[in-house]
Amino acid sequence: MAASPGPAGVGGAGAVYGSGSSGFALDSGLEIKTRSVEQTLLPLVSQITTLINHKDNTKKSDKTLQAIQRVGQAVNLAVGRFVKVGEAIANENWDLKEEINIACIEAKQAGETIAALTDITNLNHLESDGQITIFTDKTGVIKAARLLLSSVTKVLLLADRVVIKQIITSRNKVLATMERLEKVNSFQEFVQIFSQFGNEMVEFAHLSGDRQNDLKDEKKKAKMAAARAVLEKCTMMLLTASKTCLRHPNCESAHKDKEGVFDRMKVALDKVIEIVTDCKPNGETDISSISIFTGIKEFKMNIEALRENLYFQSKENLSVTLEVILERMEDFTDSAYTSHEHRERILELSTQARMELQQLISVWIQAQSKKTKSIAEELELSILKISHSLNELKKELHSTATQLAADLLKYHADHVVLKALKLTGVEGNLEALAEYACKLSEQKEQLVETCRLLRHISGTEPLEITCIHAEETFQVTGQQIISAAETLTLHPSSKIAKENLDVFCEAWESQISDMSTLLREINDVFEGRRGEKYGYLSLPKPMKNNANLKSLKPDKPDSEEQAKIAKLGLKLGLLTSDADCEIEKWEDQENEIVQYGRNMSSMAYSLYLFTRGEGPLKTSQDLIHQLEVFAAEGLKLTSSVQAFSKQLKDDDKLMLLLEINKLIPLCHQLQTVTKTSLQNKVFLKVDKCITKTRSMMALLVQLLSLCYKLLKKLQMENNGWVSVTNKDTMDSKT
């Protein structure tokens, strides 16, 4: 018998899915190029906006003119990088090459036009006070900017088509190999085909993971995560279930398990393609009903809208909407697992909500005919009363579902039934198997119903989707465990059957663990502590026990504060352009100094976008996370520069160390500021942080320039020494 691929054969695919994906691990080129296109586009759009919004009638100092020229040059430089990426994609995709190249030519022309129109050396229009009026041809800049954005959009859309095509092709390869695996009849043939299948699954994992990271719609992102989680777990199940069927070809329960795994993987693969292509097969629509919490949220918005408009909806619509919500409460009140106290309280609050809606409608009718202050006050009171009742109902539903879930998780934490099934299988005890299979079925029904209740109170669409995924997983895996246990009981000495049961039990235990995490996230949302599961992927995850983050409360700076932050941000944005220009000079783009410099410039640009209300950083907390990493990256840069300085002569080494010694204290100061708690003074903290960051970026530009010059000097000295040595050798030979 040929050796089995074993768990390691799929570990690669499982590890890839489990990581949440990182396309950079798969160096196929296209993923990195398309991501690079998007990273280039963001600063491009922002810089163009800066140019177009520039006031053309005001007098500008030389310093301002130089800054404007630098923005124009930065746009042109970014376009150059963009065009290189676009051309690389075109060369790899001949069917789209002509379209992409045309768009790249248009982008290049537009970038050069913008650079020319913002070049102050071309302006000889001097005013009497010695200052220049910039943008004598602002219309030309606007036209060039429109052409540039149009061509950039074309390339991005074409690149997106390439990525989608690549994912579909990868899926088709996986499906074709799965069909061969379903029909295989020998271990040797299975090992060969499964090896190919593992490689194809790794490729699909990376491609789908990249796509998940790029999705902006949180609902789609959650659906993709659920489908990829199925593929991750089912890959190992497919291995052991197939091996079990090959060893016991006449065992009906083994074949049942295998067919179930294949079917679930095919559905998950189709789901990924459905999300990627944004279309459902055969025009299907999403028929899942909205949750109770979502229904209550929409209902409250409708009744609160009465404050502004008494005529925008009918009384019948409000009554029907409330009845639909209360009808869904039957999932709680009809559940055998809801306690008597919770059931009675839910019914009581439901009746109260109905009565208060009738009272609201009565006052509403009066308010439409009588425009008096007393009626308006009575309407406001009615709205507040029903809103309060609905909030109390939400609290009761949340308490019911979360308490049930917590009790279940605690009760099943030791997995007694799974252990009993494993022991029963090894003993070959069919009578005990029936008993414990019944217990697992009961446990499965409890978990499925609990997931259904949790979905109603989850609070966000991504968490709703996670609840649905958990419900489906318990439903399917529970039955698969029973079938696997039956196979082992019929063949108690079979190591493969035992391994198969272990794998299905591990999937169940993993889902129990995931449900515990899900419960915490639902509680976080309900209590206003929104979890980080669906945070921005470019941000570092917050560390546990970070008291500083708790001290940051959302606040809105006034117009003067906003203007100050925007001014600091603009200077920071220009410094990132300077840093990028210095980085472009380096021939070795893999140099550690260049890599750390590029990372710092990228993060600084995110901070600049934050000052404009754009980009991935949405809150002050996001900003602080990014600044902590920025400071750490700065210290890494200084370490690399110090290592480089050891290759230099004393004078050059001293000059470089002096610059490093300026940057190190700034890094530590920024770390201190980020960790300092300033209650209700978020603007002050942000102001200090951006000021420190700007100083660090100015030093970074100087350091990059100095290191580049010293590196060139070192290379020339080394080459000169080699030339002299070679000449002496030749002379001695002569």
Side-chain angles (χ1 to χ4, degrees):
M1 183 184 68
S4 159
V10 179
V16 170
Y17 279 106
S19 68
S21 135
S22 170
F24 296 102
L26 177 66
D27 191 17
S28 63
L30 180 61
E31 297 89 343
I32 298 173
K33 290 187 180 76
T34 50
R35 193 178 297 277
S36 178
V37 168
E38 295 182 57
Q39 289 173 343
T40 305
L41 176 64
L42 188 60
L44 199 60
V45 173
S46 182
Q47 289 164 354
I48 291 169
T49 305
T50 302
L51 289 174
I52 294 175
N53 291 341
H54 182 78
K55 295 180 182 178
D56 51 349
N57 294 326
T58 55
K59 306 292 184 180
K60 299 298 172 189
S61 66
D62 290 340
K63 187 176 180 181
T64 303
L65 290 174
Q66 289 168 5
I68 292 168
Q69 184 179 22
R70 283 159 62 195
V71 173
Q73 291 170 344
V75 170
N76 194 29
L77 184 66
V79 170
R81 291 197 296 267
F82 170 81
V83 167
K84 285 181 183 177
V85 173
E87 289 172 345
I89 294 172
N91 290 333
E92 293 178 9
N93 298 274
W94 289 91
D95 52 333
L96 299 174
K97 184 173 182 178
E98 186 178 352
E99 290 180 78
I100 295 175
N101 281 338
I102 291 171
C104 286
I105 290 169
E106 290 177 354
K108 189 175 181 181
Q109 290 173 345
E112 290 171 351
T113 302
I114 290 171
L117 290 173
T118 55
D119 187 354
I120 59 174
T121 59
N122 293 336
L123 297 172
N124 51 17
H125 184 88
L126 295 177
E127 301 289 348
S128 57
D129 57 3
Q131 292 182 330
I132 303 171
T133 302
I134 196 66
F135 284 157
T136 54
D137 189 7
K138 184 173 180 179
T139 305
V141 174
I142 293 173
K143 286 181 180 178
R146 285 174 179 166
L147 175 62
L148 178 57
L149 292 176
S150 172
S151 56
V152 163
T153 303
K154 284 180 191 174
V155 175
L156 283 175
L157 289 173
L158 291 167
D160 197 57
R161 279 168 55 186
V162 172
V163 174
I164 291 172
K165 180 181 174 183
Q166 197 174 34
I167 294 172
I168 292 172
T169 302
S170 178
R171 188 280 306 258
N172 291 341
K173 286 197 298 186
V174 170
L175 281 177
T177 308
M178 282 177 66
E179 285 183 15
R180 292 172 62 199
L181 281 173
E182 280 186 280
K183 299 171 184 175
V184 74
N185 292 316
S186 70
F187 267 104
Q188 186 174 1
E189 187 184 359
F190 174 78
V191 170
Q192 292 172 348
I193 299 174
F194 195 87
S195 177
Q196 177 187 341
F197 174 74
N199 292 332
E200 290 169 353
M201 283 300 293
V202 168
E203 179 188 357
F204 187 78
H206 282 297
L207 291 172
S208 59
D210 269 336
R211 194 66 178 182
Q212 180 183 327
N213 287 352
D214 291 337
L215 288 170
K216 303 297 185 289
D217 187 323
E218 296 293 354
K219 187 175 179 181
K220 288 182 180 177
K221 190 176 285 188
K223 285 182 177 180
M224 180 74 91
R228 294 179 73 246
V230 170
L231 292 172
E232 176 199 350
K233 291 174 182 174
C234 283
T235 303
M236 181 59 76
M237 293 178 185
L238 184 145
L239 171 63
T240 57
S242 297
K243 286 164 63 180
T244 305
C245 278
L246 287 170
R247 175 56 66 86
H248 309 290
N250 298 320
C251 182
E252 186 180 342
S253 56
H255 281 282
K256 189 176 179 182
D257 262 352
K258 176 186 168 183
E259 288 167 8
V261 173
F262 273 93
D263 289 345
R264 198 161 185 230
M265 286 192 78
K266 288 174 185 176
V267 170
L269 288 165
D270 288 341
K271 178 62 69 176
V272 170
I273 300 304
E274 177 188 314
I275 296 163
V276 167
T277 57
D278 201 21
C279 62
K280 294 181 182 293
N282 304 321
E284 292 176 13
T285 55
D286 190 353
I287 57 172
S288 59
S289 60
I290 63 171
S291 68
I292 293 174
F293 270 29
T294 302
I296 289 175
K297 181 182 177 182
E298 292 176 0
F299 180 77
K300 285 176 67 178
M301 287 171 61
N302 287 336
I303 61 173
E304 286 168 3
L306 293 174
R307 295 182 175 117
E308 306 296 329
N309 189 338
L310 295 171
Y311 302 96
F312 86 103
Q313 61 183 325
S314 67
K315 291 83 179 169
E316 293 77 14
N317 282 348
L318 272 186
S319 297
V320 169
T321 303
L322 181 62
E323 286 307 315
V324 169
I325 293 169
L326 297 181
E327 186 179 327
R328 293 201 184 105
M329 303 284 181
E330 291 174 3
D331 284 349
F332 285 81
T333 55
D334 292 354
S335 172
Y337 309 111
T338 300
S339 69
H340 176 71
E341 292 77 11
H342 282 304
R343 184 179 292 107
E344 289 298 313
R345 181 63 176 154
I346 291 168
L347 291 171
E348 179 187 333
L349 289 169
S350 298
T351 303
Q352 187 176 335
R354 279 195 186 94
M355 291 170 57
E356 284 173 354
L357 177 61
Q358 292 307 313
Q359 176 63 25
L360 172 64
I361 290 172
S362 175
V363 176
W364 181 9
I365 294 170
Q366 293 179 49
Q368 287 178 328
S369 57
K370 300 177 184 177
K371 308 291 183 181
T372 63
K373 185 179 178 181
S374 60
I375 289 292
E377 289 175 351
E378 195 173 344
L379 178 65
E380 177 65 22
L381 183 61
S382 297
I383 291 172
L384 292 175
K385 277 185 177 180
I386 191 169
S387 294
H388 176 73
S389 291
L390 291 172
N391 287 338
E392 290 299 308
L393 187 54
K394 282 177 66 177
K395 287 179 186 176
E396 189 62 33
L397 295 173
H398 180 269
S399 174
T400 303
T402 54
Q403 185 177 322
L404 175 60
D407 291 345
L408 262 180
L409 290 170
K410 185 178 179 181
Y411 183 72
H412 298 302
D414 51 4
H415 305 293
V416 172
V417 177
L418 296 184
K419 292 174 183 175
L421 279 170
K422 291 178 184 179
L423 184 61
T424 299
V426 173
E427 293 173 347
N429 189 336
L430 288 170
E431 187 177 336
L433 169 67
E435 178 188 345
Y436 288 112
C438 184
K439 287 185 178 180
L440 184 66
S441 294
E442 184 180 336
Q443 182 179 330
K444 178 193 71 176
E445 290 305 319
Q446 286 180 319
L447 289 165
V448 165
E449 189 153 335
T450 302
C451 289
R452 196 173 297 135
L453 299 184
L454 286 175
R455 175 181 170 251
H456 278 305
I457 59 104
S458 56
T460 70
E461 283 190 326
L463 289 178
E464 277 189 43
I465 290 162
T466 307
C467 290
I468 293 169
H469 166 67
E471 180 184 337
E472 291 172 350
T473 301
F474 283 125
Q475 188 74 54
V476 174
T477 311
Q479 188 54 52
Q480 288 175 323
I481 290 172
I482 293 170
S483 295
E486 183 181 339
T487 303
L488 179 58
T489 308
L490 293 171
H491 308 277
S493 60
S494 173
K495 290 183 179 179
I496 290 180
K498 184 178 182 301
E499 179 190 6
N500 187 49
L501 178 57
D502 287 340
V503 167
F504 282 103
C505 288
E506 284 169 13
W508 179 276
E509 292 168 10
S510 173
Q511 191 57 55
I512 291 283
S513 176
D514 290 346
M515 186 175 174
S516 179
T517 304
L518 174 62
L519 181 59
R520 286 198 301 271
E521 289 177 349
I522 289 172
N523 282 327
D524 284 346
V525 170
F526 186 77
E527 294 169 16
R529 303 189 309 269
R530 182 64 181 268
E532 294 292 330
K533 182 174 180 181
Y534 302 102
Y536 290 89
L537 292 160
S538 61
L539 298 178
K541 296 298 180 188
M543 290 179 286
K544 293 180 180 179
N545 303 323
N546 193 335
N548 176 50
L549 297 184
K550 295 177 183 177
S551 68
L552 281 173
K553 296 180 180 178
D555 67 336
K556 190 173 182 180
D558 58 36
S559 56
E560 186 178 343
E561 291 173 339
Q562 286 178 331
K564 186 177 179 182
I565 290 178
K567 187 176 179 181
L568 287 170
L570 183 58
K571 294 175 182 177
L572 186 61
L574 292 172
L575 283 169
T576 61
S577 295
D578 291 344
D580 290 341
C581 289
E582 291 298 332
I583 289 168
E584 286 288 322
K585 295 178 183 177
W586 291 65
E587 295 172 2
D588 180 12
Q589 290 291 307
E590 298 303 314
N591 185 295
E592 272 195 355
I593 295 172
V594 171
Q595 289 179 348
Y596 291 133
R598 187 185 295 115
N599 291 344
M600 291 178 70
S601 178
S602 176
M603 285 186 274
Y605 196 82
S606 294
L607 303 180
Y608 159 58
L609 292 177
F610 175 81
T611 65
R612 296 167 58 91
E614 301 169 4
L617 308 179
K618 300 297 181 186
T619 66
S620 301
Q621 292 185 6
D622 294 344
L623 180 73
I624 298 305
H625 293 329
Q626 193 84 317
L627 286 166
E628 288 171 348
V629 179
F630 180 83
E633 207 73 357
L635 291 172
K636 291 177 185 176
L637 173 74
T638 59
S639 298
S640 292
V641 175
Q642 282 174 335
F644 168 66
S645 69
K646 294 176 183 177
Q647 305 173 43
L648 305 175
K649 292 181 179 179
D650 289 344
D651 290 344
D652 292 340
K653 183 177 181 179
L654 179 61
M655 180 167 53
L656 191 56
L657 290 176
L658 285 172
E659 292 299 318
I660 295 173
N661 289 336
K662 294 177 187 175
L663 183 58
I664 292 174
L666 283 173
C667 293
H668 290 308
Q669 288 168 21
L670 181 59
Q671 287 178 328
T672 303
V673 173
T674 58
K675 292 174 183 175
T676 303
S677 176
L678 294 174
Q679 291 285 357
N680 301 321
K681 294 182 180 179
V682 177
F683 164 74
L684 181 62
K685 186 166 187 173
V686 170
D687 181 31
K688 285 184 177 181
C689 287
I690 294 178
T691 303
K692 293 289 181 190
T693 306
R694 195 185 69 185
S695 301
M696 288 173 65
M697 283 301 297
L699 275 173
L700 173 65
V701 173
Q702 294 174 27
L703 260 179
L704 288 170
S705 176
L706 181 58
C707 286
Y708 176 77
K709 290 173 184 175
L710 293 176
L711 178 62
K712 284 292 181 185
K713 182 179 178 182
L714 183 65
Q715 289 171 343
M716 288 177 65
E717 287 173 354
N718 289 341
N719 291 337
W721 180 82
V722 170
S723 300
V724 171
T725 305
N726 290 342
K727 183 176 183 300
D728 291 345
T729 305
M730 290 296 291
D731 289 345
S732 64
K733 285 182 179 179
T734 303

